[in-house]
Amino acid sequence: MSTPKIHGIIGYTVTPFGANGEGLDLDALGRSIDRMLDAGVHAIAPLGSTGEGAYLSDAEWDQVAEFSIRHVAKRVPTIVSVSDLTTAKAIRRARFAEAQGADVVMVLPTSYWKLSEAEILAHYQAIGASIGVPIMLYNNPATSGTDMSVELILKIFHTVENVTLVKESTGDIQRMHKLHMLGEGQVPFYNGCNPLALEAFTAGASGWCTAAANLIPQLNLDLYQAVQEHDLQRARELFYRQLPLLDFILKGGLPATVKAGLELSGLNAGEPRRPVFALNQSARQQLQTLLQTLG
């Protein structure tokens, strides 16, 4: 099994809803994907935290996965988040995504009960044994309630053949240094914490998984390019320019802030699904000011 070359800016999509957060607006989803592709992002990742994958019915999840993969149409790799509470449901989603043509599936060990390391490893082993596409292991304790140590991540990486990529979202740069050192430089890792983008790239991250590409793709891409060209001064300037917006969308909640930003830029993606609130008027004005500053 060969892993597609995943690098650079990986754009995370929202899931646009109709009125009152009900029904899917696939037309708006297609337009949001096209905006990122036209800007030049290097991969598209539907159904993550930004895409409210946890709030969709199985039928809706299937629709969004199928539509996104077909709409991207192999123009860039597609990374589909298949996380679910049970191993069986995650396997169902992973198989569905693979059947539709996903290049990679992303797995976050979400749980209600705290999982032991043996349970987490078995979860990845079962999913890996059920599909033939690469898996991006995803560590994000803020949303999953599970924090995988670097040692556990490497154990899974070396045990499960198709776990070939790691997304690290703790916001702790030392994790990335440790992944690089203990993994002897052989573990492709990706940054999932927006305010850590510059440090992550300099620590050797292969890419930046970000919802900011919905709003400021060119700045994201320019930062990556500056790092590739080893122009640290320009990379710093580009990073500090976008940092206020990166902080804002993270602290305000990605579905609410990114959907509000899309609407302010002319693409109505609806509101987040309850219990998540849409951005209030004061925050919308703050976001508009930030976007105008960057425009």
Side-chain angles (χ1 to χ4, degrees):
M1 179 193 62
S2 62
T3 300
K5 175 65 175 168
I6 307 288
H7 70 95
I9 303 303
I10 300 157
Y12 277 67
T13 58
V14 297
T15 297
F17 297 125
N20 302 315
E22 297 305 317
L24 300 172
D25 185 346
L26 296 178
D27 178 63
L29 174 57
R31 284 185 284 138
S32 73
I33 290 171
D34 285 338
R35 280 165 53 139
M36 286 196 278
L37 290 177
D38 289 346
V41 302
H42 302 100
I44 293 288
L47 294 161
S49 306
T50 306
E52 301 177 77
Y55 297 151
L56 303 179
S57 69
D58 283 345
E60 288 175 324
W61 189 95
D62 289 357
Q63 272 188 279
V64 172
E66 180 179 5
F67 177 88
S68 300
I69 293 164
R70 291 191 178 180
H71 194 83
V72 173
K74 300 292 182 182
R75 288 178 280 177
V76 297
T78 305
I79 304 168
V80 180
S81 176
V82 301
S83 310
D84 211 326
L85 276 173
T86 68
T87 303
K89 285 186 174 181
I91 287 172
R92 188 202 74 80
R93 288 183 168 182
R95 284 175 167 164
F96 183 88
E98 178 181 29
Q100 297 303 317
D103 296 286
V104 177
V105 299
M106 186 172 73
V107 177
L108 176 75
T110 57
S111 67
Y112 180 87
W113 295 108
K114 185 172 175 58
L115 300 174
S116 68
E117 292 198 350
E119 288 167 332
I120 294 168
L121 174 59
H123 183 66
Y124 278 98
Q125 285 176 314
I127 298 168
S130 300
I131 56 173
V133 292
I135 294 172
M136 176 181 275
L137 177 152
Y138 180 20
N139 189 40
N140 188 351
T143 56
S144 71
T146 300
D147 189 2
M148 292 181 277
S149 67
V150 171
E151 289 79 5
L152 175 59
I153 289 171
L154 291 173
K155 184 177 182 180
I156 296 168
F157 182 86
H158 292 303
T159 303
V160 184
E161 182 184 357
N162 44 348
V163 172
T164 55
L165 314 123
V166 174
K167 178 183 173 188
E168 229 298 319
S169 295
T170 59
D172 178 3
I173 193 65
Q174 295 304 321
R175 303 288 187 99
M176 296 187 189
H177 291 316
K178 203 169 178 182
L179 267 172
H180 178 77
M181 292 175 67
L182 294 183
E184 300 178 339
Q186 301 304 304
V187 180
F189 63 89
Y190 300 77
N191 171 49
C193 178
N194 283 329
L196 210 65
L198 178 60
E199 292 93 333
F201 277 135
T202 56
S206 298
W208 175 15
C209 303
T210 181
N214 287 279
L215 308 179
I216 52 167
Q218 198 56 57
L219 277 171
N220 303 153
L221 290 158
D222 288 348
L223 171 60
Y224 177 64
Q225 188 62 34
V227 172
Q228 293 299 105
E229 294 170 357
H230 306 291
D231 188 344
L232 186 55
Q233 182 176 340
R234 176 162 166 75
R236 279 201 199 102
E237 290 169 357
L238 287 161
F239 175 66
Y240 289 130
R241 190 173 168 216
Q242 58 192 287
L243 184 56
L245 179 67
L246 298 177
D247 278 334
F248 180 89
I249 64 174
L250 181 64
K251 290 171 183 171
L254 292 171
T257 53
V258 174
K259 283 185 168 180
L262 284 170
E263 186 181 355
L264 289 168
S265 64
L267 176 54
N268 184 6
E271 295 186 355
R273 182 160 282 176
R274 293 299 176 91
V276 179
F277 281 176
L279 218 55
N280 64 39
Q281 195 55 41
S282 169
R284 281 174 62 87
Q285 289 172 343
Q286 192 180 346
L287 177 57
Q288 187 165 21
T289 301
L290 284 168
L291 289 171
Q292 285 171 342
T293 302
L294 295 175

